[in-house]
Amino acid sequence: MSAQPVPLVPVLAVVGIGLIGGSFAAALRRAGQVGRVLGVGRRQASLDRALALGLIDEVVDLEQAARRADLILLATPVGAMRAALEALGPHLRPEALVTDAGSTKADVAAIARAALGERLRQFLPGHPIAGSEMTGPEAAHPALYHGRKVVLTPLAETPVRARDWLTRVWEACGAHVLLMDAERHDRVLASISHLPHLLAAAYMAQVSREGDADLRLSLAGTGFRDFTRIAAGSAEVWRDIFLSNRESVLDELAAFERVLGELRKTLEDPDPRALEAFLEQAALARRLWDGRSAMT
Amino acid sequence: MSAQPVPLVPVLAVVGIGLIGGSFAAALRRAGQVGRVLGVGRRQASLDRALALGLIDEVVDLEQAARRADLILLATPVGAMRAALEALGPHLRPEALVTDAGSTKADVAAIARAALGERLRQFLPGHPIAGSEMTGPEAAHPALYHGRKVVLTPLAETPVRARDWLTRVWEACGAHVLLMDAERHDRVLASISHLPHLLAAAYMAQVSREGDADLRLSLAGTGFRDFTRIAAGSAEVWRDIFLSNRESVLDELAAFERVLGELRKTLEDPDPRALEAFLEQAALARRLWDGRSAMT
């Protein structure tokens, strides 16, 4: 070891070395803010590739990760987190922090509460709003989080010092960190991520069940392509997201159906002015968002 | 003029020299299948640019276009077609053919029937399924129709010779031509183009009306971007499309809502297996479409 300054994370452990976990390790490595990266995973082939790609330095098990790491990122499906936390808990170093990258946060907080007991203060739920259609360690990239938002949802038990440290770690990856409570996170994500997926899936299912589906699909163009792209996502992953955030998703769906009903009325009893005003509101909101998101 | 073979279209007139009309002229020119291109338009600035870009050779009025052209493409909003057809009708050369590029076809056929009378056999409705978020003559490109679908909806009055000739003209632009009746075209387009627009607009309006819309939109990512992109389209254009195809759009919306209700039930009374099976059907259909559309 040279006389370089101490990195923010002397020892990082990543559980699940795919796009999310691998990119986190790669970003911290490029920023010079990680010493050693330990990798934990179920699939040997993925671990081998992660080693070959230099994303991790060493493969360890959960107990070793807990005994050695300063920071542990759970980059696994939410369904695998309880078992991981139960295996990590008894061996965690007292100053270590565990975080995650799951798409829903109230359920993760509840899982951590059940699995960690009095070690709960060592867990801080998080959600990097970044992704890609690609998966696996090959898709990992040090710039994945650059300019992206990361939401942290501190628990009542979370020490301010831990919150500030994890914020700096994500900022070192190039991300903007937002703090909010888990319930608000879940409502917002239900609105801007889960509901679009639900609607795109329902639409895609409807088209594909029609008797002339082949003709329809043969004429579908770029608008269709973009509108339905998210429907191609993993059914297993999205089933878990919908179930873990079902109340917020159902609330958002109900709100959407009310507004859709208003739009339907302008067509059923044709009202060209009201129809155009509605479409104009939607178009302006979308263009405004484009302008804002281009600035960040 | 040199001793080149006679082009398919000795004299073409394009009414409305934007993306659609300009690209048609450019494609035929590149294919060596047009002699002279006449341009008709309301906005002098657009006509000047079209001349400067070499999309058209000459600016004329509707009467001149009718007196000289072998083929006339109406690349205007559907709302402007009746007046254009009424101005063209009395002066059309007996062997000339008029076609259009509107997004709905039953209404265009009705407009032509009312405007042209016994000249109806000289009108053949068409719809090139190609577009872009860009508009205007600058966006015109000879390759716009390459590999794209063009639907022609011949009327009972349409001579086979006219249908075959227009098919060859579009094929010279690189397009694949499909023939179907206007009603089927409108149902299919309601399904794969108009309904997605309706849903994206309703969704965008709903999100933007929420009290915490700013927070929501600040966390929206790439899935949101793709799902809502079409909602940014012109409110005026889409108002006209929805109104001219309202019965088919309402039918498709009702079919969508039935399927959405089925998906909602798997969440309301949580049924993980049914939910996953539904999502899997949608994901497979979307991936299959991707594979097919990549081949064409």
Side-chain angles (χ1 to χ4, degrees), chain A residues 191 203 209 216-217 225-226 228-229 232 239 246 257 262 264 267-268 276 286-287 289, chain B residues 191 203 209 216-217 225-226 228-229 232 239 246 257 262 264 267-268 276 286-287 289:
Chain A
S191 170
Y203 169 75
R209 289 176 190 183
R216 294 178 186 223
L217 293 170
R225 183 195 62 203
D226 287 354
T228 58
R229 185 181 62 79
R239 177 202 65 194
R246 56 181 286 273
E257 289 181 312
E262 183 187 318
R264 192 205 299 110
L267 262 185
E268 279 173 345
E276 185 176 354
R286 181 56 174 74
R287 292 176 207 149
W289 179 79
Chain B
S191 170
Y203 169 75
R209 289 176 189 183
R216 294 178 186 222
L217 293 169
R225 183 194 64 205
D226 288 354
T228 57
R229 185 180 63 78
R239 177 202 64 194
R246 57 180 285 274
E257 289 180 312
E262 183 187 318
R264 192 204 299 108
L267 262 185
E268 280 173 344
E276 185 176 354
R286 180 56 176 73
R287 292 177 207 147
W289 179 78

Side-chain angles (χ1 to χ4, degrees), chain A residues 73-293:
Chain A
L73 173 69
L74 300 182
T76 65
V78 173
M81 284 186 194
R82 175 153 192 162
L85 286 170
E86 285 174 346
L88 290 166
H91 310 291
L92 282 178
R93 301 172 65 206
E95 69 276 29
L97 187 68
V98 183
T99 187
D100 78 305
S103 314
T104 48
K105 296 272 67 76
D107 62 329
V108 168
I111 287 166
R113 201 171 291 276
L116 290 177
E118 61 187 25
R119 300 257 196 183
L120 187 62
R121 62 197 308 279
Q122 290 185 258
F123 184 75
L124 205 178
H127 179 201
I129 318 277
S132 159
E133 291 168 290
M134 296 176 299
T135 56
E138 293 84 359
H141 193 280
L144 181 70
Y145 301 113
H146 193 86
R148 308 304 284 271
K149 304 282 200 314
V150 172
V151 179
L152 300 181
T153 59
L155 309 173
E157 293 82 354
T158 307
V160 170
R161 202 165 50 87
R163 188 192 76 190
D164 291 349
W165 178 61
L166 188 56
T167 297
R168 288 208 308 283
V169 169
W170 274 113
E171 287 173 350
C173 298
H176 301 296
V177 173
L178 288 87
L179 302 174
M180 64 186 76
D181 64 55
E183 289 65 32
R184 175 169 285 265
H185 167 278
D186 288 357
R187 282 202 307 276
V188 168
L189 269 287
S191 170
I192 51 93
S193 171
H194 310 165
L195 180 61
H197 195 100
L198 195 83
L199 298 176
Y203 169 75
M204 196 68 221
Q206 184 250 319
V207 173
S208 70
R209 289 176 190 183
E210 298 287 338
D212 59 352
D214 281 350
L215 175 63
R216 294 178 186 223
L217 293 170
S218 76
L219 287 173
T222 54
F224 175 94
R225 183 195 62 203
D226 287 354
F227 181 76
T228 58
R229 185 181 62 79
I230 47 179
S234 158
E236 191 188 349
V237 167
W238 282 94
R239 177 202 65 194
D240 289 347
I241 290 173
F242 289 137
L243 291 174
S244 62
N245 201 22
R246 56 181 286 273
E247 284 187 28
S248 292
V249 170
L250 288 169
D251 285 350
E252 289 302 321
L253 177 56
F256 166 79
E257 289 181 312
R258 283 192 294 274
V259 178
L260 179 63
E262 183 187 318
L263 178 53
R264 192 205 299 110
K265 259 192 212 116
T266 70
L267 262 185
E268 279 173 345
D269 186 9
D271 183 342
R273 279 194 197 200
L275 173 58
E276 185 176 354
F278 187 105
L279 297 174
E280 189 64 26
Q281 185 193 26
L284 286 175
R286 181 56 174 74
R287 292 176 207 149
L288 189 65
W289 179 79
D290 235 3
R292 282 198 302 202
S293 67

Side-chain angles (χ1 to χ4, degrees), chain B residues 53-72:
Chain B
L53 292 163
L55 296 172
I56 60 176
D57 299 308
E58 195 179 333
V59 173
V60 301
D61 61 17
L62 285 165
E63 183 181 331
Q64 280 297 312
R67 289 190 189 282
R68 293 169 58 190
D70 301 285
L71 177 64
I72 301 174

